[in-house]
Amino acid sequence: MLLGLVTLLQDSLLQPKADTVAGGVSQIASPEQTLRLWDLLMKGGVLMIPLGILSVIAVFAFVERYLTIAKAGKLEDNFMPMIRDHISSGNIVAARSLSKNTNSPIARMIDKGIQRIGKPIDSIEKSMENVGKLEIYKMEKNLVILSIIAGIAPMFGFLGTIAGMIQTFYNISLTSDITLGTIAGGIYVKMVTSASGLIIGLVAFIGYSFLNAQIDKVINKMEGASSEFIDILQEPTR
């Protein structure tokens, strides 16, 4: 009987408690690991600095061009009817004054046409076309910045990833540590630059395409106003 009691005590002491085992398993199986976006970006390395600069330049260029193009596309709805009334009634001075006091590419183009009244229609159209080309150039100014950023930002990202992988494998060659955790940890951190570069390039490309579409709308308005002005000149004077 004494021997049976000793055996029972040994079993109770050596057998781990269920709640202790469950607590240990849960503690190991569910570690809470949170990685903030800023911390992840900081792990991208030195090349995150030029990528950050490119993103700031892209945002500034987009906002500046958008405001300029939006302003260029604005024109009072009664501008061309008033020009028509002034020219049809022979009041060239009033038409010239209206066009000069209106800050718009369309108005500046029409003003050049008014200055050429009395000359052949071909000469008037050519003069207005030259002014139109100059105004289009002003609207497209600095758009090339977005185009360049859309092209080089992904390259910077890939360069950062390649440099990081080279560093990772170099460290492996020195330490002979080829565990999966070491390789995966080094690669996923360095791929942050690739993801950042692709995002910046994609946003810059979308902004570039959007602004070009807005410029096309303004060009269509300019062409319509030019055609209407030529039609006004060919109408009989009152």
Side-chain angles (χ1 to χ4, degrees):
M1 182 176 180
L2 181 60
L3 181 60
L5 181 61
V6 171
T7 304
L8 180 62
L9 289 175
Q10 288 178 346
D11 293 339
S12 62
L13 291 174
L14 293 176
Q15 185 176 3
K17 295 183 179 180
D19 56 348
T20 305
V21 174
V25 171
S26 61
Q27 184 176 5
I28 296 174
S30 59
E32 295 185 359
Q33 295 182 358
T34 58
L35 185 61
R36 292 179 296 179
L37 178 61
W38 179 255
D39 295 335
L40 185 62
L41 293 177
M42 288 298 98
K43 290 182 179 182
V46 179
L47 283 176
M48 292 299 294
I49 297 176
L51 286 174
I53 295 174
L54 288 176
S55 64
V56 172
I57 294 175
V59 171
F60 176 80
F62 175 81
V63 173
E64 187 271 334
R65 282 295 88 194
Y66 175 76
L67 295 176
T68 301
I69 296 170
K71 183 179 179 180
K74 291 181 178 180
L75 186 67
E76 296 294 335
D77 294 336
N78 61 347
F79 176 77
M80 289 307 298
M82 292 178 66
I83 291 291
R84 178 186 293 274
D85 292 340
H86 291 320
I87 294 179
S88 298
S89 61
N91 194 351
I92 306 300
V93 176
R96 179 78 194 281
S97 176
L98 175 62
S99 61
K100 282 183 67 68
N101 293 328
T102 303
N103 185 17
S104 170
I106 298 176
R108 286 187 284 271
M109 186 179 62
I110 297 299
D111 181 62
K112 178 59 69 174
I114 295 174
Q115 295 178 44
R116 296 292 186 269
I117 290 179
K119 295 186 177 182
I121 294 297
D122 292 342
S123 177
I124 297 175
E125 288 181 337
K126 187 65 176 177
S127 298
M128 295 175 65
E129 182 181 349
N130 291 334
V131 174
K133 289 179 179 179
L134 181 61
E135 294 297 332
I136 293 172
Y137 171 76
K138 291 179 181 179
M139 288 187 291
E140 292 179 342
K141 182 181 178 182
N142 295 334
L143 269 185
V144 67
I145 294 177
L146 289 176
S147 178
I148 292 174
I149 292 176
I152 67 174
M155 295 183 183
F156 269 106
F158 291 142
L159 178 61
T161 298
I162 295 300
M165 292 182 69
I166 292 175
Q167 182 180 3
T168 298
F169 285 108
Y170 175 73
N171 293 335
I172 291 175
S173 68
L174 295 179
T175 60
S176 298
D177 184 6
I178 56 173
T179 59
L180 183 60
T182 302
I183 299 176
I187 293 177
Y188 99 86
V189 168
K190 301 309 177 183
M191 289 185 71
V192 172
T193 56
S194 289
S196 301
L198 287 173
I199 292 173
I200 294 171
L202 180 61
V203 171
F205 179 76
I206 292 174
Y208 175 79
S209 302
F210 174 79
L211 293 178
N212 271 320
Q214 298 303 114
I215 291 176
D216 289 339
K217 291 181 180 180
V218 179
I219 293 175
N220 289 333
K221 291 182 179 180
M222 294 172 65
E223 291 176 349
S226 177
S227 299
E228 185 176 355
F229 180 76
I230 296 300
D231 291 340
I232 294 172
L233 296 182
Q234 294 178 337
E235 292 178 354
T237 307
R238 296 177 187 174

